C-alpha cells in the first residue's frame, strides 16, 4: 500500500454515502475573545469508502499447544485427539531423611479434570480411551497429518491423527463427572521407567473419544507410587503434571474469505488495520472543514460489525476478551512478523458469541490514539505521516477453540468497520 498526504477526509455515514449532513452537537459560545468559536462535531467514517484504509487477517500466533485445555472429539464436524507428556518422573525419593533410588513403580493413574462448560455429552456419556503413542511428536507443531513440522523437518504420522498403541484404560465420562481417572495398569512400571530415564524418547499418551461427543480437559495429572530401594516395604506416592500437551484435529479451520475479518480461536487469528487520516475532516451541513491538528478528541471508536456465526465447529464456544495494540511499521512489509508496540489505552472489549447477530456492533476505544495524532499534527503538521496502524487480538490467545468474524472494508460496505470521531476543533477567531 502506498501512503499519500490527504488534505481533507469527508465524513460519511455508516451506509457509505459520500455526502451526508451532520448537525453540530455543541457550539461553544464566544469566550474571552469576540467571535471565538469551537464547534463540536461527530464524524462517521466508513472504511469501505476511505481510500487510505487497509485491513487484513493474520494467524499462527497461537496453537493447540498454547491453549489452556485439551479438546478430544468425535463428531461429523470434527475429529480431535489429545496428546500429552509427563516430563518429570522421579527416579529417587526422599524417605525418613534419606534419598533412595526407585526400584519399581507399583501403581499409576492419570487424573483428568472435566471442563463441563465446553464438553458435549450424550445422555449415555462419552467413552474416552487412554492410549500409548508409538511415534515421536513435536508439541508445538504437531497437526492431524504431521507429527513434526519444524524448520527443515516435516515428519508425517504413520496414521493421520496420531500413531497410537495399546489401550491402557477406557472410561465413560458423563456430565456429572468433575474429574475422571485412567489407570495405567500393567504398563505402569515400563512406562514410568522410560519417562524417568531422560536418555530415552518419551512418546507420551493420548486421549481418544471412541463413540461420539466432545471431551474437554485441562492439564492431566499423573499420580504414581514408587518403591524405594532402601525401603522395599514402603510405597511413596508422588504426583506430576503434564509438561507438554496439545491436540490435533481434522478438518483444519477454513481459509479466511475475502471481505471477512476473523478474531480469536485456537490458531490466534488477529485483525490488522491501517489508515492514513488527513489533517482535516470535511463535515457537510454547515460545519465545513474541521482540522484534526490541535483538536480536542472527545471520543473516538473503531466500530466492527459482526457477521453470522461461523459454521460449526469453528464458532467461538465461549466469550473471550480482545485488546488493540499499535503496530510499529506498515504490516504490508512483514505481515504477521510486523513488530508490535504498546496497547491502545482502554481498547479492551468482550466478544460474547451468545449476544452477537449479523450487524451487531462492537466499539473499540481509540480516543487516546486519535488525541495523540491530533496533538502531533498540531506540532508538526503534515511533515509527519498521519497514520494509524493497529492490531486486534484475543487475550489470552488460544482461550477458545473457535473464533468470531466481522465485516471488512473489502466486503459488504454495510458491515465494514467504521471510525467514529467526536471532536472539538481548534479555537477559531472571527471578526466581531
Amino acid at each position: 500500500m502506498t501512503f499519500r498526504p490527504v488534505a481533507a477526509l469527508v465524513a460519511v455515514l455508516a451506509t457509505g454515502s459520500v455526502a451526508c449532513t451532520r448537525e453540530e452537537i455543541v457550539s461553544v459560545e464566544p469566550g474571552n475573545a469576540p467571535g471565538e468559536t469551537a464547534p463540536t462535531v461527530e464524524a462517521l467514517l466508513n472504511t469501505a469508502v476511505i481510500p487510505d484504509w487497509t485491513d487484513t487477517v493474520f494467524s499462527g500466533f497461537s496453537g493447540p499447544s498454547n491453549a489452556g485445555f485439551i479438546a478430544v472429539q468425535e463428531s461429523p464436524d470434527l475429529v480431535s485427539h489429545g496428546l500429552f507428556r509427563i516430563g518429570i518422573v522421579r527416579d529417587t525419593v526422599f524417605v525418613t531423611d534419606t534419598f533412595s533410588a526407585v526400584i519399581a513403580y507399583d501403581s499409576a493413574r492419570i487424573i483428568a479434570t472435566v471442563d463441563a462448560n465446553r464438553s458435549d455429552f450424550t445422555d449415555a456419556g462419552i467413552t474416552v480411551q487412554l492410549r500409548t503413542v508409538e511415534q515421536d511428536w513435536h508439541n508445538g507443531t504437531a497437526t492431524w497429518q504431521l507429527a513434526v513440522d519444524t524448520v527443515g523437518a516435516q515428519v508425517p504420522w504413520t496414521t493421520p491423527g496420531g500413531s497410537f498403541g495399546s489401550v491402557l484404560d477406557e472410561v465413560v465420562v458423563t456430565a456429572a463427572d468433575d474429574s475422571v481417572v485412567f489407570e495405567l495398569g500393567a504398563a505402569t512400571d515400563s512406562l514410568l521407567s522410560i519417562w524417568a530415564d531422560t536418555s530415552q524418547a518419551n512418546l507420551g499418551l493420548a486421549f481418544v473419544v471412541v463413540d461420539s461427543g466432545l471431551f474437554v480437559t485441562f492439564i492431566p495429572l499423573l499420580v504414581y507410587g514408587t518403591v524405594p530401594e532402601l525401603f522395599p516395604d514402603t510405597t511413596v506416592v508422588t504426583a506430576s503434571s503434564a509438561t507438554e500437551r496439545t491436540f490435533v484435529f481434522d478438518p483444519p479451520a477454513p481459509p479466511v474469505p475475502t471481505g471477512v475479518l476473523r478474531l480469536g480461536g485456537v490458531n490466534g487469528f488477529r485483525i490488522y488495520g491501517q489508515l492514513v487520516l488527513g489533517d482535516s475532516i470535511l463535515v457537510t451541513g454547515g460545519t465545513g472543514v474541521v482540522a484534526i491538528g490541535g483538536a480536542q478528541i472527545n471520543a473516538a471508536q473503531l466500530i466492527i460489525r459482526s457477521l453470522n456465526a461461523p459454521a460449526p465447529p469453528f464458532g467461538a464456544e465461549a466469550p473471550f476478551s480482545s485488546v488493540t495494540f499499535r503496530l510499529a511499521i506498515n504490516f504490508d512489509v512483514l505481515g504477521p512478523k510486523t513488530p508490535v508496540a504498546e496497547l491502545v489505552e482502554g481498547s479492551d472489549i468482550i466478544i460474547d458469541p451468545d449476544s452477537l447477530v449479523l450487524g451487531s456492533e462492537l466499539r473499540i476505544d481509540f480516543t487516546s490514539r486519535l488525541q495523540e495524532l491530533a496533538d502531533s499534527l498540531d506540532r508538526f503538521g503534515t511533515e509527519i505521516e498521519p497514520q494509524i496502524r493497529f492490531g486486534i487480538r484475543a487475550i489470552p490467545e488460544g482461550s477458545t477453540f473457535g473464533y468470531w468474524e466481522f465485516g471488512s472494508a473489502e466486503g459488504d460496505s454495510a458491515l465494514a468497520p467504521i471510525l467514529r470521531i467526536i471532536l472539538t476543533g481548534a479555537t477559531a477567531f472571527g471578526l466581531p
Side-chain angles (χ1 to χ4, degrees), residues 18-351:
V18 175
C20 56
T21 301
R22 307 297 302 170
E23 294 184 359
E24 292 182 11
I25 298 173
V26 177
S27 289
V28 180
E29 294 298 327
N32 296 327
E36 181 184 6
T37 61
T40 298
V41 298
E42 178 187 42
L44 297 176
L45 310 176
N46 189 322
T47 59
V49 294
I50 297 176
D52 291 290
W53 170 275
T54 302
D55 56 34
T56 192
V57 175
F58 296 115
S59 65
F61 300 98
S62 184
S65 63
N66 306 119
F69 57 90
I70 301 173
V72 190
Q73 185 168 354
E74 181 73 33
S75 73
D77 297 322
L78 190 83
V79 180
S80 176
H81 298 155
L83 306 171
F84 63 96
R85 285 190 179 97
I86 306 295
I88 301 174
V89 173
R90 299 181 184 277
D91 58 5
T92 60
V93 291
F94 191 69
V95 186
T96 61
D97 301 327
T98 304
F99 279 104
S100 175
V102 172
I103 57 174
Y105 300 93
D106 67 356
S107 64
R109 63 187 59 89
I110 298 293
I111 301 175
T113 302
V114 180
D115 185 346
N117 292 328
R118 296 177 192 262
S119 298
D120 186 10
F121 301 96
T122 64
D123 292 340
I126 305 172
T127 304
V128 182
Q129 290 181 344
L130 178 68
R131 302 185 63 172
T132 59
V133 182
E134 294 191 327
Q135 183 178 347
D136 200 9
W137 49 279
H138 183 250
N139 186 61
T141 62
T143 65
W144 188 261
Q145 299 293 338
L146 297 173
V148 179
D149 188 15
T150 57
V151 176
Q154 282 193 331
V155 181
W157 292 106
T158 56
T159 301
S163 303
F164 305 142
S166 59
V167 177
L168 300 173
D169 200 4
E170 182 175 285
V171 177
V172 176
V173 187
T174 69
D177 292 321
D178 294 325
S179 63
V180 290
V181 177
F182 299 86
E183 300 287 347
L184 269 60
T188 293
D189 190 59
S190 59
L191 280 176
L192 268 65
S193 295
I194 291 173
W195 297 347
D197 182 357
T198 56
S199 67
Q200 299 190 61
N202 181 345
L203 304 182
L205 301 173
F207 288 131
V208 178
V209 170
V210 296
D211 41 19
S212 179
L214 169 61
F215 168 63
V216 181
T217 184
F218 300 108
I219 302 174
L221 178 70
L222 170 70
V223 178
Y224 59 101
T226 59
V227 180
E229 181 180 18
L230 300 179
F231 307 91
D233 297 329
T234 302
T235 295
V236 179
V237 177
T238 307
S240 296
S241 296
T243 53
E244 294 183 337
R245 67 191 189 279
T246 189
F247 54 96
V248 296
F249 55 90
D250 184 61
V256 183
T258 300
V260 171
L261 298 177
R262 184 178 291 175
L263 181 62
V266 74
N267 294 120
F269 290 98
R270 294 182 182 181
I271 298 171
Y272 278 23
Q274 55 193 14
L275 164 69
V276 175
L277 194 62
D279 57 0
S280 61
I281 299 176
L282 175 61
V283 181
T284 60
T287 303
V289 174
V290 178
I292 295 176
Q296 173 65 44
I297 307 299
N298 303 301
Q301 299 165 330
L302 177 68
I303 303 172
I304 55 176
R305 294 183 278 186
S306 176
L307 302 182
N308 286 318
F314 293 106
E317 71 278 12
F320 63 94
S321 301
S322 77
V323 294
T324 300
F325 54 92
R326 304 165 194 246
L327 298 175
I329 62 173
N330 185 342
F331 59 77
D332 284 345
V333 178
L334 296 178
K337 295 183 179 180
T338 301
V340 301
E342 66 272 19
L343 299 180
V344 176
E345 182 181 350
S347 64
D348 53 305
I349 59 172
I350 301 293
I351 291 88

